[in-house]
């Protein structure tokens, strides 16, 4: 229940940020922090995360160039890894992709580089850009030896959680956020309105429904 609550809170936070037409541009687990529980002083308050790491966050229309941290490229959309943020490579759907990887970590309760068995991390490597294709079975010979970590979500957190995370990682298309990959920047704003609706329905509300159902179930 705590993990699902955490996932819902993180998705909701990103939804509110995007609703203000801002991008995070650095969504990863290092930027999720916790305070100690107000009652159980020795425990972390896992259900109330604090999203941080806003040094790359800007309004959607801003244009800037800043350095990125190469070892966190594993959370970025494969096509923009190694690039400094600017208006061409910063999109809401890329934040959503990063969220999907963090939700994968939340369910497994392990960091992404360990889930994916990236032995060279934190040194950047060619493996970093292959995480998405390995999880979606679009490429053979993944580094993990057991079951696909994405498929394992069915047993760990249930089918609904699995579907929400998978949609984030797929991102584009009917099986993702139901939007196309728009390269014409003049049309991106219209696409992002549809993206916001899909993300609310298929991820945020889905996680909220799981949480409420689990809390109603008898122990």
């Amino acid at each position: 229940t705590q993990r699902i609550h955490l996932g819902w809170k993180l998705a909701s936070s990103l939804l509110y940020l995007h609703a203000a037409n801002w991008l995070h541009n650095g969504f990863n687990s290092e930027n999720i922090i916790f305070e100690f529980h107000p009652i159980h002083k020795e425990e972390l308050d896992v259900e109330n995360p604090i999203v941080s790491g806003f040094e790359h966050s800007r309004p959607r229309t801003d244009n800037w160039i800043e350095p990125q941290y190469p070892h966190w490229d594993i959370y970025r959309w494969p096509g923009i890894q190694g690039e400094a943020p600017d208006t061409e490579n910063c999109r809401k759907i890329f934040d959503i992709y990063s969220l999907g990887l963090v939700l994968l970590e939340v369910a497994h309760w392990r960091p992404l580089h360990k889930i994916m068995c990236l032995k060279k991390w934190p040194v950047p490597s060619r493996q970093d850009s292959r995480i998405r294709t390995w999880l979606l079975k679009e490429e053979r010979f993944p580094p993990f030896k057991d079951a696909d970590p994405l498929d394992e979500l069915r047993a760990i957190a249930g089918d609904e959680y699995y579907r929400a995370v998978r949609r984030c990682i797929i991102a584009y298309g009917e099986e993702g956020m139901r939007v196309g990959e728009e390269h014409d920047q003049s049309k991106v704003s219209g696409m992002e309105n549809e993206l916001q609706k899909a993300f609310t329905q298929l991820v945020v509300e889905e996680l909220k429904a799981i949480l409420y159902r689990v809390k109603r179930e008898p122990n």
Side-chain angles (χ1 to χ4, degrees):
T1 303
Q2 285 184 313
R3 296 186 195 183
I4 294 172
H5 197 121
L6 171 58
W8 170 58
K9 281 291 187 72
L10 294 177
S12 299
S13 296
L14 190 59
L15 175 67
Y16 296 141
L17 184 67
H18 285 179
N21 215 27
W22 273 65
L23 306 177
H24 190 284
N25 293 323
F27 204 92
N28 62 63
S29 55
E30 187 181 66
N31 291 329
I32 311 301
I33 60 178
F34 304 96
E35 295 181 328
F36 285 100
H37 198 283
I39 299 176
H40 308 289
K41 302 297 184 180
E42 296 181 356
E43 299 179 7
L44 293 177
D45 191 3
V46 178
E47 294 186 3
N48 289 292
I50 299 171
V51 178
S52 64
F54 287 94
E55 60 265 35
H56 295 296
S57 182
R58 295 290 190 282
R60 174 67 185 84
T61 55
D62 265 16
N63 186 14
W64 81 99
I65 296 178
E66 289 183 0
Q68 280 278 12
Y69 304 109
H71 61 290
W72 295 123
D73 252 3
I74 59 175
Y75 293 89
R76 301 181 73 206
W77 182 255
I80 63 171
Q81 290 180 6
E83 298 182 9
D86 61 32
T87 53
E88 296 298 319
N89 65 20
C90 294
R91 301 182 184 183
K92 292 178 180 179
I93 202 163
F94 295 162
D95 273 351
I96 292 172
Y97 169 77
S98 301
L99 169 72
L101 296 179
V102 173
L103 293 178
L104 183 73
E105 290 180 303
V106 168
H108 285 274
W109 210 244
R110 297 177 67 201
L112 181 62
H113 70 276
K114 290 188 176 181
I115 294 173
M116 300 301 300
C117 302
L118 302 178
K119 295 181 179 180
K120 294 183 178 181
W121 194 90
V123 177
S125 74
R126 293 178 61 187
Q127 287 187 326
D128 298 350
S129 63
R130 300 164 73 183
I131 290 175
R132 180 176 180 270
T133 54
W134 278 328
L135 290 174
L136 299 178
K137 299 183 180 67
E138 296 175 358
E139 187 173 347
R140 299 173 62 190
F141 309 117
F144 41 84
K145 305 302 179 183
D146 300 321
D148 184 312
L150 184 57
D151 287 345
E152 287 183 313
L153 293 188
R154 293 181 183 274
I156 295 172
D159 288 344
E160 295 94 340
Y161 191 98
Y162 158 79
R163 287 197 297 267
V165 175
R166 185 172 183 270
R167 283 188 177 277
C168 291
I169 293 174
I170 292 175
Y172 291 109
E174 187 61 30
E175 294 187 5
M177 291 294 113
R178 296 177 178 171
V179 294
E181 189 169 359
E182 183 58 69
H183 296 285
D184 185 346
Q185 291 297 300
S186 65
K187 299 179 181 179
V188 166
S189 59
M191 183 196 78
E192 288 183 343
N193 291 333
E194 297 303 315
L195 173 62
Q196 196 84 341
K197 295 177 184 178
F199 179 60
T200 301
Q201 175 189 353
L202 302 174
V203 179
V204 180
E205 293 298 332
E206 186 76 87
L207 294 175
K208 182 178 179 181
I210 300 169
L211 178 64
Y212 283 1
R213 186 179 69 250
V214 170
K215 286 187 173 182
R216 287 197 303 268
E217 290 177 352
N219 296 328

